[in-house]
Amino acid sequence: IQLNQKNLHNLPDSFVVPKYDRSQLKAGIVHIGVGGFHRSHEACYNDDFLTLSQSTEWGICGMGLREADRKIGDILKQQDYLYTLIVKHPDGRQENRVIGSIVDFVLASDDPAAATDRLADAQTKIVSLTITEGGYHFNPATNAFDFDHPDVQHDLVNPHAPKMIFGFLTEALRKRRAKGLPAFTIQSCDNIQHNGDMTRKMLLAFAEKQDPTLAQWISSSVSFPNAMVDRITPMTTLQDITLLEEAGVQDLWPVTCEPFTQWIIEDHFSDGRPDWESVGAQFVGDVTPYELMKIRLLNAGHSVLGLLGSVHGHATIDGCIADPLFASYVRRFMDVEVTPILAPVDEINLDEYKSTLIERFGNPNIKDNLARICLESSSKLPKFIVPTIMENLEKGGSIKFAALVIAAWCYYSDKGVSKNGVALDIVDDMKAELHSYASKTEQDSLAFLKLDSVFGDLVQSKTFTDEYVAMVRTLYTNRDIAAQMDVLLGESLLLT
Ligand code: NAD
């Protein structure tokens, strides 16, 4: 049976379906970038909210800016904008839940003026985004907006036919101001620290150059709440589609995710918002401590397992957690080296948060590949792990668990194989540079740490280098990372 509105009530009993009148729903939200994550996260919170409130104001109109979004738009349209969210539990259980909160889709590249009209419509109160980190046109080298991109150059001189996000937002806000309408809120849901501040900074840089008076209005009228978002959402596979078919439902693009979900949002909206707190979102004054908690525990935990696991020969995150040595090691790293330097986080019990993380990492139905986890480690470790080491050095805290991860990363970058000689799939913009520094380790044990664009002045700390040198020498001699993990764990447990 095909998934669509007509068939909604003939689906197998095991499918949960929307229990609100979709025909009455107006789209108070336009969401740009209808990828897997939007469909597992905001659209799912909104589906819960519509069920609970029976509101008719807060449906979602999906929008794609790129030709590549045509496929999702066509499929959604064919299915009356319905799709299945397959929630995969650690015990193998699978919930099939049809999400009904998306009610329309606009492919902006087909008709940019129609898209900006839609954004400028009085009905649109929130414009939310998942356009990936690259979509923000931020240049880390200059710490500023990247005006060199051809689409940006195009949009500066073609304000009425934009191609990229900030061209669309600027033109839509120009239309709104002309109509005397309030500004919409721009709600980023991308995995960027202070994602609202980043969106504001990039939009204002662009608008300032195109239309300075409008930029002033944007600066004083548009809200950009920062938010921390979390729900592991792997790419949909053919197997997921087949599984639904076997259950009797044809859905051309379902989404899979874990049961855990979190959305922590700063509460300032220009033109109203749904009561997402009634369905589990958390509104706070300042999202910073939540972001730090996530980066230093979840993201860092992923890198710890990813690098140690790759050198040892594990293939996936759940494979690491199934190995008691790795599960204990990552938990001990969190307890001994991260928790002491985290500020208390309101309404969050850190012990429970960490236990939940280990359980999430161990979900055998979410096969997170270590190659994907270690992707672009050169941009991850300086945010996820190096600041933790620096803070512990300042405060006299433990640095050993993290030091072994850096030693493993050196071996990984130098040799490119696991201890069993299996080639590792390394994807990193800095791969050649990492290899060049790491490969001098046998002559100079500190060579890798001299890559200062990644490690800053870590190499200057004798406390750190004394530990690191001993670790790297042992690893290069016996290639047995597990033995070193075991020793560190034993020592640390003796101390408690
Ligand atoms: P996806 O590949 O399924 O979707 C990406 C979407 O972004 C597509 O609609 C694409 O067209 C759009 N996009 C990409 N580049 C763009 C650009 N330059 N301008 C405009 N639109 C652009 O990916 P996803 O899993 O949905 O992840 C999207 C983002 O969500 C991530 O980059 C991350 O910031 C955030 N996120 C993802 C997860 C996860 O587990 N997948 C978890 C937390 C946060």
Side-chain angles (χ1 to χ4, degrees):
I1 186 168
Q2 245 198 337
L3 178 60
N4 57 35
Q5 185 67 36
K6 181 168 61 69
N7 291 337
L8 204 51
H9 296 288
N10 301 321
L11 299 183
D13 287 347
S14 59
F15 281 66
V16 176
V17 299
K19 294 193 177 50
Y20 47 89
D21 185 358
R22 296 182 71 235
S23 69
Q24 300 302 316
L25 259 184
K26 287 183 270 173
I29 301 170
V30 174
H31 181 82
I32 304 181
V34 187
F37 184 62
H38 171 67
R39 295 199 288 148
S40 77
H41 193 257
E42 181 180 335
C44 177
Y45 277 92
N46 223 41
D47 188 73
D48 281 337
F49 168 73
L50 294 171
T51 307
L52 191 72
S53 65
Q54 300 292 312
S55 157
T56 54
E57 304 298 312
W58 293 109
I60 300 172
C61 169
M63 187 174 282
L65 302 192
R66 303 166 5 136
E67 181 54 32
D69 293 307
R70 185 177 299 282
K71 183 174 168 201
I72 185 67
D74 287 350
I75 289 176
L76 283 176
K77 187 163 186 205
Q78 207 177 318
Q79 300 184 168
D80 299 322
Y81 310 100
L82 296 165
Y83 62 92
T84 318
L85 185 63
I86 308 172
V87 183
K88 293 185 172 177
H89 288 261
D91 61 6
R93 239 172 354 109
Q94 179 172 316
E95 279 169 72
N96 297 325
R97 168 172 175 186
V98 177
I99 302 287
S101 55
I102 301 182
V103 290
D104 200 359
F105 186 91
V106 173
L107 189 66
S109 48
D110 271 354
D111 187 348
T116 52
D117 279 345
R118 184 66 187 244
L119 293 165
D121 193 292
Q123 200 178 285
T124 305
K125 299 181 184 306
I126 296 175
V127 177
S128 55
L129 316 174
T130 45
I131 51 173
T132 77
E133 290 74 352
Y136 289 79
H137 294 280
F138 172 71
N139 180 345
T142 58
N143 198 25
F145 188 73
D146 178 12
F147 280 103
D148 293 338
H149 194 285
D151 289 350
V152 174
Q153 289 296 322
H154 169 275
D155 285 11
L156 279 175
V157 291
N158 293 285
H160 307 310
K163 287 187 174 177
M164 59 102 207
I165 182 70
F166 299 111
F168 277 101
L169 292 173
T170 306
E171 172 69 354
L173 287 161
R174 189 177 4 255
K175 286 184 176 175
R176 276 185 100 92
R177 188 183 54 155
K179 289 202 265 181
L181 288 173
F184 44 64
T185 298
I186 303 182
Q187 167 81 76
S188 168
C189 296
D190 276 297
N191 244 340
I192 296 174
Q193 249 180 303
H194 282 53
N195 50 16
D197 296 347
M198 166 71 93
T199 314
R200 176 183 159 85
K201 183 173 164 188
M202 297 300 105
L203 176 61
L204 285 176
F206 174 81
E208 186 70 46
K209 202 151 213 172
Q210 197 198 55
D211 184 342
T213 327
L214 178 65
Q216 265 180 15
W217 184 75
I218 295 176
S219 167
S220 58
S221 317
V222 180
S223 288
F224 300 84
N226 291 308
M228 186 267 250
V229 294
D230 193 5
R231 185 169 222 179
I232 297 173
T233 307
M235 268 164 56
T236 306
T237 62
L238 261 182
Q239 212 187 357
D240 299 320
I241 298 175
T242 311
L243 262 169
L244 289 185
E245 247 162 24
E246 284 166 8
V249 176
Q250 192 187 57
D251 180 340
L252 298 175
W253 203 337
V255 182
T256 66
C257 64
E258 61 171 343
F260 182 90
T261 183
Q262 195 169 40
W263 195 9
I264 299 184
I265 315 166
E266 288 180 0
D267 196 2
H268 46 96
F269 284 69
S270 328
D271 196 13
R273 63 165 175 84
D275 295 331
W276 283 317
E277 63 267 53
S278 63
V279 289
Q282 206 179 327
F283 284 90
V284 297
D286 177 10
V287 86
T288 313
Y290 301 88
E291 286 176 338
L292 276 180
M293 174 187 78
K294 183 187 169 213
I295 285 174
R296 295 197 175 182
L297 291 170
L298 184 149
N299 300 111
H302 260 159
S303 293
V304 166
L305 294 172
L307 289 164
L308 297 172
S310 295
V311 170
H312 180 69
H314 283 310
T316 59
I317 290 288
D318 66 292
C320 289
I321 295 294
D323 178 338
L325 174 65
F326 279 73
S328 307
Y329 190 94
V330 72
R331 177 66 200 234
R332 202 77 193 137
F333 159 76
M334 292 177 180
D335 288 344
V336 174
E337 299 192 352
V338 185
T339 310
I341 56 167
L342 282 180
V345 193
D346 274 354
E347 290 182 48
I348 299 235
N349 175 326
L350 272 184
D351 264 340
E352 269 171 32
Y353 182 80
K354 287 182 284 187
S355 301
T356 308
L357 273 183
I358 305 287
E359 205 180 301
R360 294 170 66 194
F361 288 170
N363 187 334
N365 294 311
I366 306 277
K367 295 264 165 245
D368 232 344
N369 211 290
L370 296 194
R372 183 189 89 84
I373 296 295
C374 295
L375 202 99
E376 303 299 342
S377 283
S378 65
S379 68
K380 291 178 174 168
L381 270 76
K383 292 191 205 114
F384 301 166
I385 294 187
V386 177
T388 296
I389 299 174
M390 298 307 277
E391 248 185 271
N392 276 319
L393 286 171
E394 260 170 49
K395 295 180 176 157
S398 162
I399 42 104
K400 292 185 181 195
F401 285 85
L404 188 63
V405 177
I406 308 288
W409 190 23
C410 173
Y411 184 88
Y412 163 102
S413 305
D414 178 5
K415 307 291 182 195
V417 291
S418 73
K419 73 164 195 220
N420 308 318
V422 178
L424 298 166
D425 179 15
I426 302 179
V427 179
D428 200 305
D429 276 352
M430 288 182 70
K431 184 175 172 179
E433 225 173 333
L434 290 164
H435 174 73
S436 151
Y437 278 75
S439 62
K440 299 187 181 77
T441 301
E442 270 146 315
Q443 297 86 54
D444 168 11
S445 305
L446 292 176
F448 190 51
L449 292 185
K450 292 182 179 162
L451 184 49
D452 56 9
S453 61
V454 169
F455 296 111
D457 56 6
L458 194 55
V459 72
Q460 307 297 337
S461 161
K462 190 166 170 342
T463 315
F464 185 79
T465 54
D466 281 353
E467 294 287 352
Y468 173 81
V469 165
M471 286 171 178
V472 106
R473 286 194 180 144
T474 311
L475 180 58
Y476 271 70
T477 310
N478 66 13
R479 302 201 308 270
D480 191 352
I481 196 86
Q484 283 179 269
M485 291 165 67
D486 204 28
V487 170
L488 282 190
L489 259 179
E491 284 174 3
S492 146
L493 291 170
L494 267 183
L495 287 175
T496 51

